[in-house]
Structures are given as C-alpha cells and as structure tokens.
Amino acid sequence: MALIIFLILKIKWIKNLIRMSWQRIWYLLRGKKKEIEELKHQIKASRKELDQTKQKVHEWIKQSTKFESTLNQAIYIQQKVFSGVYLAAYEVSNTFGSSDPDYESAYQFILNIIQDTMKNERSGSPRLNIFVRDPEDPDQLKPHAMEGHRTRAWKNRIQIKNNEAAGYTFLNGESYFDYDTTRDFPESRFKSNPHSNRPILSIICVPIKCGDDTIGVLSVTGEQKYSFTEDDKSYLELFSGIIAPMLIVDLKREGNIDVSIREALHAANETAAGDVSTGGNHD
C-alpha cells in the first residue's frame, strides 16, 4: 500500500515536473520568438538601408559620369576654340607677310574656322558676317565678309541704330547677345522674320575695334533658340580681336578709316592683346 502511494506521488511529481518543464520551454521559446521577430525587423530595416545606400551610390556614380562627360566636353571645346584662334592668328600673320595679300580669302578662311568652332547640336552651321560702315551711306552697315549666307545677302544694309543688333554694337562698342529673338523684352534689338525660310532665332554681335573706336561688327546667327551661350559670346570676342588688325589695314587700304598704318597696327595690337588677356570680355 505504501509502495502504491509512493508511486502515485512519484507519478504526480513527474507530471508536475514535465508540465513545469514545458512551461519553461514555452516561455523560453516565446522569448526567443520575440528576439527572432526583432532580429527579422532589424534585418528588414538593414536591407532597406542597404537598398537606399545602393541607390545613393548609383546616383553618385551617375552624377560622377555626367560630370566627367561635361568636363571632357568643356575641355574639348576649349581646345577647339584655342586651336581656332591660333589658326586665325596664323592666317592674319600670313596675310600681313604676303607681298600681294588676299584679304577676301583670308576672311573666308577665318570665318570658316569660326563657323566650325561655334557649331553645336542646336546651331547647325552658324551664319557669320563682318559688317563695316557703308561708305556710300555712313548711317548704315554693309557686309564686308560673310559665311553661310546666300549671295543676295550682300545687298543687306543695317541701320546704325540702337534698335538694330549690329547697329547697337557698332554704335556703342558693346557686345549684344540674344538667345531667343522671338521673346519680347525691353532690351531686345532684333526681331526674327517668321516668314523667312531660314529664321534667325539666336544672335551674337561683337565689336571689332581699333583702339577705342569700333570699325566693324562680327556677328553669328543660329536657326534655333538657345543656339549659343555666354561662353560662345566670349569666344566670338576673342576672334574679333584676331580679325581687328587685318580689318584695320584692309579698311585703311580702301581709304575707309582715317588713321596711319602705324597707328592702325598699334591700336589693333592693343585690342588683340586686351582680348586675349581678358578672355574676350569687353563688359
């Protein structure tokens, strides 16, 4: 009897021990489950942070590639400009050194160089003009050399007035730049002809100087808005400084400016030197 009672008590004790053990295991697993859920949450958060970091790295790489491309393009343009300036200066030097200078061919060669330098995706093949005062009508400018225009453009005359782009530049000795000739703003000095087969939607005019006096205007036009930039204006000013000595001597030869050759060359050298030292900026 005593043995039976002992066995019964032993069985109950074992059952209680098993029940308590399962409770402990359950509590333990429950605690681990929370830890596992927290760990899952941390892993999820880490993955999200990792994805965000990967996205940032991708953007940085993209921006870096874009910057490198822009930098390479800028270097290419600078090399192209200074190569063009060198070739133009060399042509001017050759013209001066010739016993029978061909000014017309020299202008054509230099304008071709400028056209190639100014060409971009929006401008296409820019049209260029060198305007001088018309000896037959001193209130007007006439083409002295051109590139990219039709033959009939030689008949064009521009009033030397502030409401004309080239006229304003000649009158004031200041560069004029309009990236969109269709817009209406107070300082606008050019209106594009909407019926033209080759509309002018962008224009830059820079003075060609003999000392402080403006003796001509170098202009470039594009058939699309935003064909050119402020940098292009500076480049064109560099070229005007290169052209100045040749134009001065050419006009003196024709009797269209009243200065001596020595004075003309001295003034031209000062103008060209000033353009190179300031990067072509007259403003």
Side-chain angles (χ1 to χ4, degrees), residues 103-150:
Y103 290 99
E104 184 177 344
S105 295
Y107 289 130
Q108 203 64 43
F109 179 79
I110 293 171
L111 290 181
N112 279 330
I113 291 172
I114 299 173
Q115 184 184 57
D116 182 62
T117 302
M118 303 290 286
K119 187 184 298 183
N120 59 65
E121 292 179 357
R122 296 193 65 82
S123 71
S125 293
R127 287 169 280 168
L128 292 115
N129 260 310
I130 295 175
F131 292 106
V132 298
R133 191 189 291 273
D134 187 351
E136 297 179 2
D137 185 351
D139 293 327
Q140 294 187 132
L141 297 174
K142 72 178 186 70
H144 191 68
M146 64 174 66
E147 176 59 36
H149 291 274
R150 294 187 174 94

Side-chain angles (χ1 to χ4, degrees), residues 18-71:
I18 293 172
R19 181 173 57 80
M20 290 176 65
S21 297
W22 275 112
Q23 285 178 345
R24 287 177 182 175
I25 292 172
W26 185 81
Y27 283 121
L28 182 62
L29 290 176
R30 184 179 179 186
K32 291 296 182 182
K33 185 178 181 181
K34 287 183 179 180
E35 290 181 13
I36 291 171
E37 290 297 328
E38 288 177 2
L39 184 59
K40 284 182 178 179
H41 181 73
Q42 290 175 4
I43 292 172
K44 187 176 181 181
S46 297
R47 283 178 177 173
K48 185 177 180 181
E49 187 176 350
L50 179 61
D51 289 339
Q52 291 174 346
T53 302
K54 286 170 65 177
Q55 183 65 27
K56 287 180 180 179
V57 170
H58 178 73
E59 288 296 324
W60 290 337
I61 293 173
K62 186 177 178 181
Q63 291 296 327
S64 177
T65 304
K66 184 177 179 181
F67 174 77
E68 184 179 2
S69 175
T70 303
L71 181 61

Side-chain angles (χ1 to χ4, degrees), residues 119-233:
K119 187 184 298 183
N120 59 65
E121 292 179 357
R122 296 193 65 82
S123 71
S125 293
R127 287 169 280 168
L128 292 115
N129 260 310
I130 295 175
F131 292 106
V132 298
R133 191 189 291 273
D134 187 351
E136 297 179 2
D137 185 351
D139 293 327
Q140 294 187 132
L141 297 174
K142 72 178 186 70
H144 191 68
M146 64 174 66
E147 176 59 36
H149 291 274
R150 294 187 174 94
T151 305
R152 65 187 182 190
W154 285 105
K155 298 179 180 179
N156 291 345
R157 295 296 182 270
I158 296 174
Q159 294 293 316
I160 303 177
K161 294 181 178 180
N162 280 325
N163 61 352
E164 295 277 0
Y168 168 84
T169 294
F170 189 88
L171 195 61
N172 298 278
E174 297 177 359
S175 297
Y176 176 77
F177 171 39
D178 189 353
Y179 56 82
D180 178 7
T181 60
T182 64
R183 63 195 177 118
D184 186 17
F185 70 109
E187 293 79 19
S188 176
R189 305 184 191 282
F190 185 90
K191 290 298 179 185
S192 180
N193 180 3
H195 304 294
S196 173
N197 291 329
R198 304 175 72 193
I200 296 173
L201 299 184
S202 298
I203 184 170
I204 305 175
C205 293
V206 301
I208 303 174
K209 292 191 170 186
C210 175
D212 294 329
D213 298 325
T214 301
I215 60 168
V217 174
L218 174 61
S219 75
V220 60
T221 59
E223 295 182 14
Q224 293 190 53
K225 302 173 185 177
Y226 302 96
S227 288
F228 310 112
T229 66
E230 286 288 340
D231 286 340
D232 292 319
K233 186 185 78 169

